[in-house]
Tab-separated table of all heavy atoms in Angstrom:
chain	number	residue	atom	x	y	z
N	693	LEU	N	3.106	55.082	-4.900
N	693	LEU	CA	2.282	56.272	-5.059
N	693	LEU	C	2.909	57.475	-4.362
N	693	LEU	O	2.537	58.593	-4.639
N	693	LEU	CB	0.887	56.039	-4.465
N	693	LEU	CG	-0.001	55.053	-5.197
N	693	LEU	CD1	-1.281	54.837	-4.407
N	693	LEU	CD2	-0.332	55.565	-6.575
N	694	LYS	N	3.849	57.246	-3.472
N	694	LYS	CA	4.399	58.337	-2.684
N	694	LYS	C	4.945	59.485	-3.539
N	694	LYS	O	4.673	60.627	-3.233
N	694	LYS	CB	5.428	57.821	-1.695
N	694	LYS	CG	4.770	56.982	-0.629
N	694	LYS	CD	5.601	56.802	0.574
N	694	LYS	CE	4.757	55.926	1.499
N	694	LYS	NZ	5.137	55.870	2.807
N	695	PRO	N	5.691	59.210	-4.644
N	695	PRO	CA	6.137	60.347	-5.454
N	695	PRO	C	4.953	61.175	-5.966
N	695	PRO	O	5.000	62.387	-5.950
N	695	PRO	CB	6.900	59.697	-6.609
N	695	PRO	CG	7.357	58.403	-6.061
N	695	PRO	CD	6.278	57.973	-5.099
N	696	LEU	N	3.887	60.501	-6.350
N	696	LEU	CA	2.699	61.221	-6.806
N	696	LEU	C	2.089	61.999	-5.646
N	696	LEU	O	1.691	63.140	-5.797
N	696	LEU	CB	1.673	60.249	-7.396
N	696	LEU	CG	0.370	60.879	-7.901
N	696	LEU	CD1	0.663	61.819	-9.059
N	696	LEU	CD2	-0.602	59.812	-8.323
N	697	ASP	N	2.025	61.354	-4.470
N	697	ASP	CA	1.484	62.023	-3.293
N	697	ASP	C	2.307	63.270	-2.969
N	697	ASP	O	1.745	64.321	-2.680
N	697	ASP	CB	1.483	61.092	-2.085
N	697	ASP	CG	0.445	59.991	-2.208
N	697	ASP	OD1	-0.468	60.103	-3.038
N	697	ASP	OD2	0.567	59.015	-1.459
N	698	LEU	N	3.640	63.130	-2.995
N	698	LEU	CA	4.496	64.268	-2.684
N	698	LEU	C	4.313	65.363	-3.717
N	698	LEU	O	4.265	66.541	-3.396
N	698	LEU	CB	5.966	63.830	-2.616
N	698	LEU	CG	6.334	62.875	-1.482
N	698	LEU	CD1	7.775	62.409	-1.634
N	698	LEU	CD2	6.132	63.561	-0.139
N	699	THR	N	4.215	64.973	-4.982
N	699	THR	CA	4.009	65.944	-6.048
N	699	THR	C	2.681	66.654	-5.832
N	699	THR	O	2.592	67.873	-5.929
N	699	THR	CB	4.008	65.247	-7.430
N	699	THR	OG1	5.214	64.513	-7.556
N	699	THR	CG2	3.901	66.238	-8.549
N	700	THR	N	1.662	65.875	-5.516
N	700	THR	CA	0.341	66.448	-5.284
N	700	THR	C	0.382	67.410	-4.107
N	700	THR	O	-0.129	68.524	-4.197
N	700	THR	CB	-0.686	65.330	-4.998
N	700	THR	OG1	-0.662	64.402	-6.069
N	700	THR	CG2	-2.077	65.893	-4.850
N	701	GLU	N	1.016	66.981	-3.010
N	701	GLU	CA	1.107	67.844	-1.831
N	701	GLU	C	1.872	69.116	-2.136
N	701	GLU	O	1.456	70.210	-1.757
N	701	GLU	CB	1.772	67.103	-0.674
N	701	GLU	CG	0.900	66.040	-0.051
N	701	GLU	CD	1.631	65.217	0.986
N	701	GLU	OE1	2.720	65.633	1.435
N	701	GLU	OE2	1.101	64.152	1.344
N	702	SER	N	3.005	68.981	-2.841
N	702	SER	CA	3.793	70.178	-3.141
N	702	SER	C	3.034	71.106	-4.081
N	702	SER	O	3.104	72.329	-3.934
N	702	SER	CB	5.155	69.806	-3.732
N	702	SER	OG	4.989	69.163	-4.974
N	703	LEU	N	2.295	70.525	-5.021
N	703	LEU	CA	1.489	71.357	-5.908
N	703	LEU	C	0.399	72.088	-5.128
N	703	LEU	O	0.136	73.259	-5.361
N	703	LEU	CB	0.852	70.513	-7.018
N	703	LEU	CG	1.766	70.059	-8.150
N	703	LEU	CD1	1.034	69.114	-9.082
N	703	LEU	CD2	2.297	71.253	-8.927
N	704	LEU	N	-0.216	71.352	-4.201
N	704	LEU	CA	-1.287	71.962	-3.424
N	704	LEU	C	-0.749	73.051	-2.500
N	704	LEU	O	-1.418	74.045	-2.247
N	704	LEU	CB	-2.026	70.898	-2.600
N	704	LEU	CG	-2.854	69.897	-3.402
N	704	LEU	CD1	-3.401	68.809	-2.492
N	704	LEU	CD2	-3.986	70.598	-4.128
N	705	GLN	N	0.476	72.872	-2.005
N	705	GLN	CA	1.044	73.848	-1.075
N	705	GLN	C	1.642	75.045	-1.806
N	705	GLN	O	1.509	76.178	-1.381
N	705	GLN	CB	2.115	73.198	-0.210
N	705	GLN	CG	1.554	72.216	0.785
N	705	GLN	CD	2.654	71.449	1.517
N	705	GLN	OE1	3.826	71.641	1.247
N	705	GLN	NE2	2.250	70.591	2.439
N	706	ASN	N	2.320	74.798	-2.934
N	706	ASN	CA	3.074	75.852	-3.600
N	706	ASN	C	2.273	76.615	-4.653
N	706	ASN	O	2.587	77.757	-4.932
N	706	ASN	CB	4.337	75.281	-4.242
N	706	ASN	CG	5.273	74.685	-3.213
N	706	ASN	OD1	5.273	75.102	-2.066
N	706	ASN	ND2	6.055	73.707	-3.615
N	707	LEU	N	1.314	75.974	-5.229
N	707	LEU	CA	0.540	76.634	-6.274
N	707	LEU	C	-0.927	76.656	-5.897
N	707	LEU	O	-1.460	75.628	-5.481
N	707	LEU	CB	0.696	75.881	-7.608
N	707	LEU	CG	2.083	75.804	-8.213
N	707	LEU	CD1	2.066	74.918	-9.447
N	707	LEU	CD2	2.580	77.190	-8.594
N	709	LEU	N	-4.286	75.952	-6.738
N	709	LEU	CA	-4.942	75.181	-7.794
N	709	LEU	C	-6.422	75.510	-7.828
N	709	LEU	O	-7.048	75.732	-6.787
N	709	LEU	CB	-4.771	73.682	-7.556
N	709	LEU	CG	-3.352	73.136	-7.580
N	709	LEU	CD1	-3.357	71.660	-7.228
N	709	LEU	CD2	-2.712	73.345	-8.941
N	717	LEU	N	-6.413	66.090	-10.109
N	717	LEU	CA	-5.336	65.408	-9.387
N	717	LEU	C	-5.882	64.268	-8.542
N	717	LEU	O	-5.322	63.170	-8.511
N	717	LEU	CB	-4.573	66.393	-8.492
N	717	LEU	CG	-3.561	67.284	-9.192
N	717	LEU	CD1	-3.021	68.329	-8.225
N	717	LEU	CD2	-2.420	66.460	-9.770
N	721	LYS	N	-5.060	60.241	-8.989
N	721	LYS	CA	-4.561	59.464	-7.856
N	721	LYS	C	-5.461	58.254	-7.596
N	721	LYS	O	-4.992	57.134	-7.404
N	721	LYS	CB	-4.519	60.379	-6.627
N	721	LYS	CG	-3.791	59.846	-5.445
N	721	LYS	CD	-3.713	60.956	-4.400
N	721	LYS	CE	-3.294	60.433	-3.074
N	721	LYS	NZ	-3.243	61.463	-2.047
Side-chain angles (χ1 to χ4, degrees):
L693 291 174
K694 292 198 180 196
L696 179 64
D697 289 343
L698 294 174
T699 305
T700 305
E701 288 174 15
S702 64
L703 285 174
L704 291 173
Q705 290 173 358
N706 298 333
L707 297 175
L709 297 176
L717 281 172
K721 192 173 167 181

